[in-house]
């Protein structure tokens, strides 16, 4: 029985495209990891990464109206202080995530550049505290 040569060609092309797509997307996507004292350990990769990137978030910081309470001390006395701070917006602010990360922190990382680089996007915490 003769096989259909066009069917064989189509099957071969489909298989090849499927393999190439799987390889291209295999190293891309978000993954959980843990900050270590010397780098980043991704949950789906057995080696620790010493070189990785961390997102910085530039923008406008909005502060709501709030009351700050504390104490002032001076030689010979102390007094309670309460300050009412109005709503404010601070332009050109920058949230530097890497300065707040500690070893043991769980993070969400994204692979970029075909999986060759990793960017830590945020710290991940339990929904229950």
């Amino acid at each position: 029985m003769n096989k259909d040569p066009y069917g064989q060609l189509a099957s071969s092309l489909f298989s090849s495209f499927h393999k190439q797509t799987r390889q291209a997307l295999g190293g891309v996507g978000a993954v959980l990891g843990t900050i270590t004292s010397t780098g980043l350990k991704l949950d789906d990769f057995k080696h620790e990464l010493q070189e990785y990137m961390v997102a910085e978030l530039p923008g406008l910081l909005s502060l709501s109206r709030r009351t700050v309470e504390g104490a002032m001390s001076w030689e010979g006395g102390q007094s309670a202080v309460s300050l009412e701070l109005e709503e404010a917006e601070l332009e050109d602010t920058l949230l530097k995530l890497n300065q707040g990360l500690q070893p043991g922190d769980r993070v969400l990382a994204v692979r970029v550049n075909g999986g060759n680089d990793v960017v830590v996007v945020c710290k991940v915490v339990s929904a229950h505290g």
Side-chain angles (χ1 to χ4, degrees):
M1 178 190 305
N2 271 344
K3 290 191 174 187
D4 177 18
Y6 296 110
Q8 287 179 328
L9 177 62
S11 177
S12 177
L13 286 173
F14 177 78
S15 176
S16 178
F17 287 144
H18 181 69
K19 180 181 175 184
Q20 293 296 328
T21 302
R22 190 173 61 244
Q23 285 177 344
L25 296 178
V28 178
V31 62
L32 290 174
T34 304
I35 298 294
T36 67
S37 60
T38 57
L40 172 65
K41 173 68 178 81
L42 299 177
D43 289 2
D44 68 350
F45 189 63
K46 67 180 179 176
H47 301 289
E48 180 183 76
L49 304 172
Q50 274 77 42
E51 293 188 24
Y52 60 95
M53 295 179 270
V54 179
E56 287 187 351
L57 306 171
L60 175 71
L61 178 62
S62 295
L63 301 171
S64 61
R65 183 177 180 170
R66 64 215 170 276
T67 301
V68 179
E69 296 182 359
M72 286 179 44
S73 299
W74 62 89
E75 190 175 312
Q78 182 174 344
S79 177
V81 176
S82 178
L83 298 173
E84 291 286 329
L85 300 175
E86 296 296 321
E87 188 175 303
E89 289 186 343
L90 303 174
E91 294 182 16
D92 300 325
T93 57
L94 182 63
L95 175 62
K96 294 185 177 185
L97 181 61
N98 62 334
Q99 293 180 356
L101 295 174
Q102 301 294 323
D105 284 348
R106 298 286 288 156
V107 295
L108 178 65
V110 178
R111 289 186 177 93
V112 295
N113 297 331
N116 293 321
D117 294 315
V118 175
V119 178
V120 173
V121 177
C122 63
K123 180 177 173 180
V124 178
V125 296
S126 169
H128 305 292

